[in-house]
Each structure stands twice: as C-alpha cells, then as structure tokens.
Amino acid sequence: MQCRRIIAFTILLCVIGFAVGCHRRDFISREQIEEYPQYPIFMVITVEGDVYEFEPSAIFEEGMIKGTLQDGTYVEIAIARVKIAYAQRFDESRAGAFLCLGAGSTLVLAVVTAVGLGLLVLVVAAAAI
C-alpha cells in the first residue's frame, strides 16, 4: 500500500512538472507570431520603439494583437507595426528532459519500493565493481 502511494505521488509530481515546466517565455519575431497565433503575448515592441506590456496576456487574431495593458487600457496593434514580442511558447527540449527525469525517477522508486533498498544497494555495488 505504501509502495503505491509513493509511486503515485512521484508520477503526480512529474506530470505537474511536465505540464508547467515545458513552456517558457521568450522573444519571438513577427513571423513566429503569425505562424503560432496560440502563443500568449506578454509584451510587444513596435518598429517605432514603443513598448506595450499586457496584463495578463494578449492574443493574436485577424492580423492584430489585442489585449489590455497593465494600466487597464485596451489596445489593438497591427502585426505590421510589431518588431518583436515576448510570448510564452512550448519548449521541446524541456519537455524531453521532464519526460526522461519523470520516467527515470518513477522507475527507480518503483524498484526501490518493490524490491527493497538493500537489494538495490547490492546490485549497484556489484555493477560498480
């Protein structure tokens, strides 16, 4: 019973880490905004040098970035005016790392709880020799 709880808790932590940690905020170009309109946009820098910071985030639709600024003002910025944007995007490298870390740690915990710590230490010691 204790074994199942430990494994379930570890899997839950890995799934939460996978879901939360696989996205990162990064600067993206105007072309990437058009290619991935689902990215939430947090800041826009226009070709004129104006900086717009959104609260919580803006969206891209119909050739415009639409959102509410931090001071509560609603704005629509044409994509042609955008030089670069700060958006949250999916990071494949983090996803793979979390998947490997989660699977590896779950496997080790499953072996430790099922077989016992003593036997695992003997196997590791034998492999090291």
Side-chain angles (χ1 to χ4, degrees):
M1 188 65 155
Q2 186 71 13
C3 164
R4 291 182 188 162
R5 287 182 187 167
I6 292 171
I7 293 172
F9 182 72
T10 304
I11 292 173
L12 179 65
L13 285 179
C14 292
V15 167
I16 290 171
F18 181 78
V20 174
C22 296
H23 292 84
R24 70 176 187 178
R25 293 184 180 185
D26 202 4
F27 284 101
I28 61 174
S29 67
R30 177 176 47 220
E31 293 78 23
Q32 289 174 314
I33 294 171
E34 292 174 316
E35 189 176 336
Y36 300 102
Q38 71 274 15
Y39 288 165
I41 300 168
F42 298 97
M43 183 171 59
V44 169
I45 301 173
T46 64
V47 291
E48 297 90 19
D50 298 328
V51 177
Y52 296 94
E53 293 188 46
F54 298 98
E55 185 63 39
S57 66
I59 58 169
F60 175 71
E61 63 183 18
E62 301 171 4
M64 306 282 278
I65 294 177
K66 302 175 182 181
T68 305
L69 299 177
Q70 290 181 342
D71 65 359
T73 308
Y74 180 79
V75 294
E76 293 183 358
I77 305 166
I79 194 68
R81 291 185 52 215
V82 175
K83 180 178 182 181
I84 198 165
Y86 189 65
Q88 184 170 339
R89 64 186 186 98
F90 186 75
D91 187 0
E92 294 86 8
S93 63
R94 287 185 180 188
F98 271 109
L99 182 64
C100 291
L101 178 67
S105 62
T106 303
L107 180 65
V108 167
L109 279 175
V111 168
V112 167
T113 54
V115 176
L117 185 60
L119 186 58
L120 182 67
V121 169
L122 289 175
V123 170
V124 170
I129 297 175

